[in-house]
Amino acid sequence: MAAESKAALLAIIAEGKPPIEGKGAYIAELDKGLVPTSDPLYLIGMQVYGYAPAIAESKKADEPAPCIIPFEYMNDFMKDTLMAYGVPEKEAIISADVLIEADKRGIDSHGIGRLKPIYCDRMDADILYPYKEMKTISESDTTALVDGGLGLGLYIGPACMQMAIDKAKKHGVGFVAVQNSTHYGIAGYYATMAADQGCVGWSGTNARPSIAPTFGVEPMMGTNPLCFGLPTDDGFPFCIDCATSVNQRGKIERYAREGKETPKGCVIDNNGIERTDTEGILKDMQLGTCALTPVGGAGADLAGYKGYSWALTVELLSTAFQSGPFGEDVCGIDRATGKKKPMPLGHYFLAIDIEKLCPLATFKKNASNLLNAVRASKKSPLGGGRIWTAGEPENDARTARTAQGGVSVPGALQKDMVMLRDKLPALKEKYAKLPFEK
């Protein structure tokens, strides 16, 4: 059947009609669902004939409505889930805090949405350990190299950032590199840790290969975040935490949960075609046959080489100190067998104690003077919203979500919570009836 459908599509192309004339027949053939999303003919339909897969309606039809759940409840649920997997209480508390902080900041791709697929599923697959004692491989007054033993990055990260801060408080600067860790949540958590303790903070990590280099199509680097944080007088820190790709995998996973297409320009496949079919993208990213584009997009027209070079910088800092793996060695799956495998990641954490250079109050005042001047600068007469600075949207999200009583949990994540509750005996009594269950 698939062969017949492909033949029909080839025949439409061979007629040589303008796309506007052949569009109806081409789309009708693709709507039969016989051609794989990774097939070039499917992609030609999207790029040439304007085919838009109708995924949203089918996904939303059987999903429950979103439910607002208080932060404390969500924090406890995530902590108790991790403890049920064998994470010690101390480490589970800090791990849950990293996750709930993402939800408070409006970073929905890295909070409760990560609990099951990134942490629980990987512990189920024995490619991530609930707990491993960290080992210091080498150390000086201002530096350290730590081995995480493939334990949960959500507690490894905070411990190592605090180590860097402690060194900075004594010696002015502290830098800690980490090897053999795992996904550590939002990088902004660590930069904010430093800012809250009177330091400038910087952190980064590599990840599964997702970004293709400029003029390439093979995923070679992770969505490696650029992340800096510093204290201000604004009531919240300046904190920039952004992937070095146009979009990151977590956001594409969110598009899938919401039944949305991926915006054009975020993903490129082995044929050099920009993809928008979210479900197909996620499948092909597992196979390594499509990649995310760096900040600036594919090619050099919008300076994609800048985002590519920043992604490569983070990859170098996450592997060179650590003698760590990269590329296929951290993809998380054996391409030949489809079996999951560990992803030993590298991180780095830098803290600079401000008081060693100038009074903290002076620094904060100077920082806010500049930030306020930028916010008050002349706006575009065409509109587009207010001028904001990094950390401000996250603070706005925290304020709004606190006012609404917590985080809005969509239907897909409600199902994850139910699955975890029903699977783990330790959760069944305390969470016998979840907030969205009637």
Side-chain angles (χ1 to χ4, degrees):
M1 295 292 288
E4 294 176 7
S5 192
K6 290 181 182 181
L9 294 173
L10 288 170
I12 295 169
I13 295 172
E15 288 177 1
K17 294 179 180 179
I20 191 66
E21 295 181 19
K23 179 178 180 178
Y26 204 99
I27 288 177
E29 193 62 45
L30 284 180
D31 275 338
K32 294 178 181 178
L34 301 174
V35 178
T37 58
S38 58
D39 193 286
L41 291 171
Y42 186 96
L43 306 179
I44 288 171
M46 295 174 60
Q47 299 294 325
V48 178
Y49 293 95
Y51 180 61
I55 60 174
E57 297 306 318
S58 60
K59 274 195 166 286
K60 291 181 180 178
D62 62 346
E63 283 191 0
C67 174
I68 294 175
I69 301 179
F71 293 134
E72 287 186 11
Y73 186 99
M74 289 302 302
N75 183 82
D76 285 348
F77 180 86
M78 291 191 284
K79 179 202 71 172
D80 292 339
T81 298
L82 293 171
M83 288 180 64
Y85 267 91
V87 180
E89 184 175 15
K90 177 184 174 182
E91 285 74 18
I93 289 172
I94 188 64
S95 296
D97 191 61
V98 177
L99 293 174
I100 197 63
E101 187 62 22
D103 284 323
K104 289 178 179 179
R105 298 185 190 190
I107 308 173
D108 294 328
S109 58
H110 281 64
I112 180 63
R114 284 292 205 213
L115 179 63
K116 182 181 181 297
I118 298 298
Y119 305 107
C120 297
D121 287 357
R122 291 180 183 178
M123 286 187 282
D124 285 335
D126 294 325
I127 62 173
L128 185 164
Y129 296 111
Y131 178 75
K132 285 286 184 177
E133 185 175 351
M134 291 175 281
K135 297 178 180 179
T136 301
I137 305 302
S138 61
E139 187 172 16
S140 71
D141 287 344
T142 57
T143 64
L145 174 62
V146 174
D147 192 304
L150 288 178
L152 195 62
L154 294 171
Y155 68 75
I156 294 171
C160 291
M161 184 76 245
Q162 191 59 52
M163 183 185 294
I165 294 168
D166 292 344
K167 289 178 178 293
K169 289 298 180 180
K170 290 181 180 179
H171 306 288
V173 177
F175 181 83
V176 177
V178 183
Q179 65 187 30
N180 290 323
S181 186
T182 58
H183 195 284
Y184 78 166
I186 54 169
Y189 186 92
Y190 308 105
T192 302
M193 278 182 66
D196 288 345
Q197 296 179 62
C199 293
V200 173
W202 180 35
S203 180
T205 178
N206 65 339
R208 288 179 289 184
S210 301
I211 298 178
T214 300
F215 302 126
V217 295
E218 181 181 356
M220 291 299 298
M221 297 149 290
T223 50
N224 307 349
L226 278 178
C227 181
F228 299 87
L230 53 89
T232 73
D233 272 339
D234 295 334
F236 56 90
F238 175 92
C239 180
I240 179 169
D241 174 8
C242 57
T244 44
S245 55
V246 174
N247 227 331
Q248 78 267 37
R249 188 187 297 254
K251 193 165 285 186
I252 294 175
E253 290 168 351
R254 195 184 83 196
Y255 293 148
R257 291 195 298 269
E258 297 173 351
K260 294 179 180 179
E261 287 194 341
T262 298
K264 188 176 181 180
C266 299
V267 178
I268 190 170
D269 68 12
N270 280 357
N271 298 306
I273 297 174
E274 294 182 1
R275 299 274 293 276
T276 62
D277 56 313
T278 299
E279 297 285 2
I281 287 169
L282 289 173
K283 292 176 183 176
D284 288 348
M285 286 185 75
Q286 286 278 45
L287 298 173
T289 55
C290 69
L292 301 177
T293 57
V295 169
D301 291 346
L302 295 176
Y305 53 84
K306 295 181 180 179
Y308 153 49
S309 296
W310 274 118
L312 191 54
T313 298
V314 176
E315 194 82 30
L316 286 166
L317 291 172
S318 299
T319 58
F321 289 116
Q322 302 87 340
S323 297
F326 59 88
E328 283 293 296
D329 290 334
V330 291
C331 74
I333 189 169
D334 186 317
R335 306 288 191 198
T337 65
K339 185 179 179 181
K340 293 182 179 181
K341 65 180 183 180
M343 288 174 275
L345 302 182
H347 318 310
Y348 56 86
F349 305 90
L350 174 71
I352 303 171
D353 183 27
I354 293 168
E355 289 278 6
K356 296 292 192 295
L357 297 167
C358 72
L360 178 59
T362 300
F363 180 96
K364 293 169 72 173
K365 180 182 177 182
N366 291 341
S368 288
N369 285 343
L370 172 56
L371 295 172
N372 287 327
V374 171
R375 295 183 192 115
S377 64
K378 186 176 180 179
K379 299 177 177 63
S380 168
L382 300 179
R386 79 177 195 261
I387 297 172
W388 50 263
T389 56
E392 197 172 354
E394 291 80 4
N395 185 64
D396 288 351
R398 183 191 301 276
T399 301
R401 292 185 173 194
T402 299
Q404 75 177 7
V407 61
S408 180
V409 179
L413 297 183
Q414 293 174 29
K415 291 179 180 178
D416 281 358
M417 292 176 70
V418 170
M419 289 174 64
L420 289 169
R421 187 268 315 275
D422 292 347
K423 173 184 177 180
L424 301 168
L427 301 183
K428 287 187 177 180
E429 182 176 349
K430 184 174 180 179
Y431 301 99
K433 186 176 182 181
L434 293 162
F436 46 79
E437 292 181 315
K438 297 179 179 179

